[in-house]
Amino acid sequence: MAIQAGERLPNIELQVMGSNGPEKVQTGDLFAGKRVVLFAVPGAFTPTCSAAHLPGFVVDADKLKAKGVDSIICTSVNDTFVMDAWGKAHNAEQIVMLADGLAEFAKAVGLTQDRTASQMGIRSQRYAMIVNDGVVEVLNIDEKGLETTSSEAILAAL
């Protein structure tokens, strides 16, 4: 079952790219004491994710921060190197590119999808959430498209 508004995010060890290579981070540390927008995509460098989802958050990063967001985090079931390269390709300097290479976070929050039929394995669903000090305030999930998970939809929810 998917995590719900009012529930605390699990503390999972994932990775981000640091100045000397991949660095381990605890999700509990990323969300502690902060208001965070977290959005997840099925895959870095995939069509909708690259053409619209990530770019929207890049463009709207300042607007989100002006509404009290301390951090913007993008996660996907990809390795640290792919997430880093994807972020750089889209000028996502203001976004934490969080690698969930083994889908541990996606599984822990109950937001996976099985894409094995298309050779992609277990992936994250497309979602966006507003998290306050580790507790989910808003959770939007899109089966198709970006109707509720776009940066515009999250801005409207803030």
Side-chain angles (χ1 to χ4, degrees), residues 48-120:
T48 301
C49 305
S50 289
H53 208 178
L54 175 61
F57 282 95
V58 170
V59 168
D60 289 336
D62 289 335
K63 292 178 190 173
L64 290 161
K65 291 186 176 186
K67 285 197 162 199
V69 171
D70 298 303
S71 181
I72 305 164
I73 300 174
C74 174
T75 188
S76 183
V77 180
N78 288 108
D79 66 60
T80 313
F81 297 98
V82 169
M83 290 299 286
D84 182 57
W86 190 45
K88 286 177 179 171
H90 288 277
N91 302 309
E93 296 87 14
Q94 294 190 67
I95 298 174
V96 175
M97 302 301 286
L98 185 63
D100 186 13
L102 300 174
E104 292 173 303
F105 186 78
K107 290 174 186 174
V109 295
L111 292 167
T112 60
Q113 60 178 311
D114 186 346
R115 301 291 286 278
T116 54
S118 58
Q119 300 294 312
M120 291 178 69

Side-chain angles (χ1 to χ4, degrees), residues 114-136:
D114 186 346
R115 301 291 286 278
T116 54
S118 58
Q119 300 294 312
M120 291 178 69
I122 299 300
R123 293 289 172 152
S124 176
Q125 291 183 41
R126 183 180 308 281
Y127 65 85
M129 58 174 77
I130 301 169
V131 181
N132 193 356
D133 195 22
V135 177
V136 178

